[in-house]
Amino acid sequence: MGVRTGLVSVTFRKLAVDEVVEVAKKAGLAAIEWGGDIHVPLGDLAAARKARELCEANGLAIAAYGSYLRAGSVDREEIRTAVNTAAELGAPRIRVWAGTVGTAEAGVGDRMAVTRGLAELADVAAGAGIEIAMEFHRGTLTDEVDSTITLLLDVGAPNLTTYWQPPVDLSDAECLEQLESLMPWLSTVHVFSWWPSNNRLPLAGRESLWRPVLDRLSTEPREINALLEFVADDSLDQFSTDAAQLHNWV
């Protein structure tokens, strides 16, 4: 199956849905992850339908519904709304966040709440044949690998997976170690080049990271998304260059 290239719609929050579709199509990408903050708001089924129809008409797949739900802090009604929105969008998975505090600051109660929340999310989503995928991000319980795997194992839901993206200032070798550890549960990688800190570079600026990452993803027997995000200067020209670079490596 290998790597499926795509775009995270929040990369271009200022563009309308049809413009995001046009950008992705022009760049030769295969899929879009639609964000729940601007382009497909939670519960806006008309917006979800419009995004799905535009993607279908332009030969683009839906990679995910990028929600901003925080496991442990959402009620069942919000979960149902997110699942209904994702279903209308035709999204195979919903991206969620593992709580509101990082691993080092989290108490037992925090971890229990997030674990229960993820289990409930996975349970409701399973009824619609949808996956729940955790954002791999600082300030949450997926800010490092061991904590992420603990959540995956404690919940134990077959439709719970994880994303991965390179943490700020982590070396290439450490990034590749993380990727390998998470591989059994990995559905999606957010692709961007930051260095140092959160300074945005052209994608080619971290070729030493992304070439081996994409080579490793390509060996998997299932499809894994590699979705472009965080373009330098939010530039459409740079995005076009980055997309061409991504295709070249894939």
Side-chain angles (χ1 to χ4, degrees):
M1 295 288 284
V3 180
R4 180 170 70 175
T5 62
L7 164 67
V8 183
S9 78
V10 299
T11 303
F12 296 114
R13 283 186 168 96
K14 292 178 181 176
L15 297 185
V17 168
D18 58 337
E19 292 173 313
V20 173
V21 168
E22 184 59 33
V23 166
K25 183 181 180 182
K26 190 176 174 184
L29 299 170
I32 298 176
E33 174 187 301
W34 288 103
D37 56 345
I38 299 289
H39 295 118
V40 182
L42 194 69
D44 190 338
L45 300 187
R49 197 174 310 118
K50 178 183 177 182
R52 186 190 76 227
E53 289 171 353
L54 278 167
C55 282
E56 286 173 353
N58 287 278
L60 290 163
I62 310 288
Y65 180 48
S67 86
Y68 289 85
L69 297 184
R70 299 268 180 174
S73 306
V74 290
D75 60 32
R76 203 163 183 89
E77 190 55 42
E78 280 181 291
I79 294 172
R80 286 200 195 96
T81 301
V83 169
N84 289 339
T85 308
E88 190 65 42
L89 181 61
R93 65 183 55 85
I94 301 169
R95 186 198 68 194
V96 303
W97 297 59
T100 57
V101 294
T103 303
E105 296 80 41
V108 173
D110 295 314
R111 182 166 283 278
M112 286 176 65
V114 171
T115 303
R116 280 198 304 268
L118 288 168
E120 187 174 21
L121 280 157
D123 182 56
V124 176
I130 291 173
E131 228 176 65
I132 295 295
M134 300 183 294
E135 174 90 356
F136 188 78
H137 206 278
R138 58 187 165 180
T140 73
L141 293 182
T142 55
D143 56 0
E144 48 105 323
V145 165
D146 288 348
S147 177
T148 303
I149 293 174
T150 298
L151 287 173
L152 288 158
L153 294 177
D154 283 353
V155 175
N159 66 324
L160 181 64
T161 64
T162 189
Y163 279 35
W164 177 81
Q165 63 188 33
V168 171
D169 288 334
L170 205 66
S171 71
D172 296 349
E174 290 170 303
C175 283
L176 290 164
E177 276 181 32
Q178 285 191 340
L179 184 78
E180 194 59 46
S181 297
L182 295 173
M183 193 61 74
W185 303 276
L186 188 72
S187 64
T188 302
V189 170
H190 279 167
V191 180
F192 55 86
S193 290
W194 284 6
W195 199 269
S197 185
N198 60 350
N199 290 296
R200 298 186 185 188
L201 305 177
L203 187 62
R206 293 198 72 184
E207 180 173 0
S208 59
L209 169 65
W210 287 113
R211 265 191 186 273
V213 165
L214 294 163
D215 286 348
R216 177 62 185 89
L217 297 183
S218 71
T219 67
E220 285 297 299
R222 67 190 188 281
E223 186 173 71
I224 299 179
N225 295 302
L227 307 179
L228 288 163
E229 190 180 34
F230 299 131
V231 178
D233 301 321
D234 295 330
S235 161
L236 286 167
D237 287 340
Q238 184 60 56
F239 178 77
S240 177
T241 301
D242 287 354
Q245 184 68 73
L246 178 62
H247 285 304
N248 182 40
W249 291 338
V250 169

